[in-house]
Amino acid sequence: MATAGGYGYFRDELYYIACSDHLAFGYVDHPPLSILILAVQRHLFGDSLFALRLFPALASGALVLLSAVLAAELGADSFGRALTGLCILATPVFLATQNFYSMNAFEPLFWTAAAYTIVRLVNTGNQRQWVVFGAIAGLGLENKHSMLFLCFGLGVGFVLTDWRRFLKSKWLWIGAAVAFALFTPNLIWEANNHWATLEFMRNAQRDKNYHSSVVEFVVSQIIVIGPFNFPVWLAGLYFYLFDAEGRRYRAFGFAFLAVAALMTIQGAKAYYLSPIYPIMLAGGAVQIGEFCRERDLRWPKPALVGALIASLVVFALFVMPILPPAMLVKLQSGMTPKAHSVLEGERNEYVGLPQTLADRFGWPEMTQAVEQVYRSLPESERARCAIVTSNYGEAGAIDFFGRKLGLPPASSLHNNYWIWGEHPPDADVVIVVGSSEEELRRVFAQVDRAAVFRCEYCMPYESNLPIFVCRGLKVPGLWSRAKRFI
């Protein structure tokens, strides 16, 4: 929370705020739970950066605590519990994704809670824990569909271990029914919207995402989870697969290998695998504690703790809004565009800050630039003017910052903005943000470049952004055919 006010609103935060103004059982690019939480959060605390980032911070703290509790349930001593919490706290990808609002802040918490429930079941023999697991899995699916990856991995673990016995338990199937019931509203929304999320995923995989090689994906895991966390989660894999005490939880080891293999084959983004690492780090802390006790070794503990604390400080400076942006750009100048693409998972042009920081700059200023163009129009045209943007970040910014400036609501062909509908049918003057002049001239009879927005620290595609005034739409029914789910 000390960094909650850093830099500004993140691109996706502005989009999620717009989504929370259009509550539904689903959205093109995510399920509804995180948006419902955001709507409650906004109602209670408002729209400030501090308010917006409170729940992600609480989720981050809960993840640290729950991971330590998981380690204790696996058999960790006090050092192992503390080590687990420190590993989670020092994980670079969690530092990067949990200091702004998104469903990614809650995702690892659901995975870890699901794992804890299963460990409790194994330790106590209480089969009713499957109902709890089903509730967690169902809510996890309503937060992010990636919960299916964990279920897939656990399924592989069931097949390959004596956990097959659980398939005979009626409570497992009751838990599965609970999960399906909780997930059903989103499935109904998907069916009613022609499985929009599947279309979004196909398009993103084909046109936007960077497809890492096997070597790139493995190396990226070491970086995004943290180089000093690497020996800990590797020890966790050993604990689950080979340790005499850990083998009762062996299915977790096979689940990790199965999910990692699936994501490697798919060329997934580096951070997609991150929610499973609290499970591995908890097991690793148990294994390291056991290793040190058996050999009466004392030096590895302070050495590992010191290294993790140092890496926490260093990575926090690089992935959180702490340093002045000019200084951070200078420090990261040695990173190649390809390195950015491997770590962030998208085929973008990178020249300065990583996307999770660059996308916090320029939104109020861009909205003001659009407002100046809007005010330059004759009053008669302003009354029937629409504003159309090239992506949901720009549209979300205009909707959020433009309210106080008197701007009309933004429209966009991008993701859920397309579903929310076309600009007013009587709009014969359109301010277009970010499209190419060549494309616009194929659609409008008159296209005038009114302004260019420039931003020093934005992503490159959000700087030198042209703002056009267009008149005379030549292609009727364009909106229904021109959606961009990506």
Side-chain angles (χ1 to χ4, degrees), residues 62-213:
L63 178 64
V64 172
L65 177 62
L66 183 59
S67 299
V69 172
L70 172 62
E73 195 66 31
L74 291 168
D77 58 13
S78 58
F79 170 77
R81 298 193 293 272
L83 177 62
T84 302
L86 181 58
C87 287
I88 301 300
L89 189 62
T91 300
V93 68
F94 296 153
L95 293 172
T97 60
Q98 293 178 343
N99 70 84
F100 60 89
Y101 195 95
S102 81
M103 69 286 300
N104 295 321
F106 307 102
E107 181 189 21
L109 188 59
F110 280 111
W111 286 46
T112 306
Y116 173 74
T117 302
I118 293 178
V119 173
R120 285 287 297 163
L121 186 153
V122 172
N123 289 349
T124 64
N126 183 2
Q127 297 291 317
R128 288 178 173 83
Q129 290 286 336
W130 284 120
V131 179
V132 180
F133 175 86
I136 293 169
L139 291 173
L141 286 167
E142 289 285 16
N143 176 69
K144 195 171 180 181
H145 294 142
S146 62
M147 192 76 187
L148 289 170
F149 285 118
L150 178 62
C151 294
F152 162 77
L154 290 173
V156 172
F158 274 45
V159 171
L160 297 178
T161 68
D162 63 354
W163 282 14
R164 289 187 297 273
R165 69 185 187 275
F166 293 136
L167 296 175
K168 300 177 182 178
S169 170
K170 69 176 183 180
W171 294 106
L172 184 146
W173 300 107
I174 293 173
V178 169
F180 183 78
L182 288 170
F183 190 36
T184 295
N186 185 234
L187 288 175
I188 293 173
W189 182 92
E190 292 285 354
N192 289 336
N193 287 273
H194 311 288
W195 305 99
T197 301
L198 292 179
E199 181 180 346
F200 160 79
M201 292 169 64
R202 285 195 302 268
N203 293 343
Q205 188 75 355
R206 183 187 66 235
D207 300 328
K208 183 175 72 171
N209 294 349
Y210 177 85
H211 301 291
S212 300
S213 67

Side-chain angles (χ1 to χ4, degrees), residues 43 93 97 114 141 144 182 189 200 212-213 219 269 286 336 342 360 367 376 380 396 415:
H43 177 74
V93 68
T97 60
L141 286 167
K144 195 171 180 181
L182 288 170
W189 182 92
F200 160 79
S212 300
S213 67
V219 171
K269 294 183 180 183
V286 177
T336 64
V342 170
R360 306 184 197 207
T367 305
S376 70
S380 59
N415 292 1

Side-chain angles (χ1 to χ4, degrees), residues 260-334:
L262 179 61
M263 291 191 178
T264 303
I265 292 169
Q266 289 184 330
K269 294 183 180 183
Y271 76 88
Y272 282 3
L273 189 58
S274 62
I276 205 169
Y277 281 103
I279 304 170
M280 307 309 296
L281 291 167
V286 177
Q287 185 65 38
I288 289 172
E290 181 182 296
F291 179 85
C292 291
R293 281 194 307 274
E294 289 177 351
R295 292 159 180 78
D296 195 27
L297 297 176
R298 298 184 179 182
W299 65 266
K301 293 182 179 180
L304 185 54
V305 168
L308 285 168
I309 292 174
S311 70
L312 165 62
V313 173
V314 171
F315 279 107
L317 292 175
F318 275 85
V319 302
M320 300 180 76
I322 297 173
L323 296 175
M327 180 184 297
L328 190 54
V329 168
K330 187 174 182 180
L331 289 173
Q332 298 202 30
S333 60

Side-chain angles (χ1 to χ4, degrees), residues 434-469:
S435 295
S436 74
E437 186 170 349
E438 181 181 1
E439 291 176 348
L440 293 175
R441 291 196 180 280
R442 290 198 292 265
V443 177
F444 292 95
Q446 180 181 346
V447 177
D448 298 307
R449 184 187 293 255
V452 177
F453 170 70
R454 293 180 173 85
C455 175
E456 183 176 4
Y457 298 115
C458 298
M459 289 296 289
Y461 53 79
E462 295 293 356
S463 186
N464 297 315
L465 197 67
I467 302 173
F468 298 95
V469 176

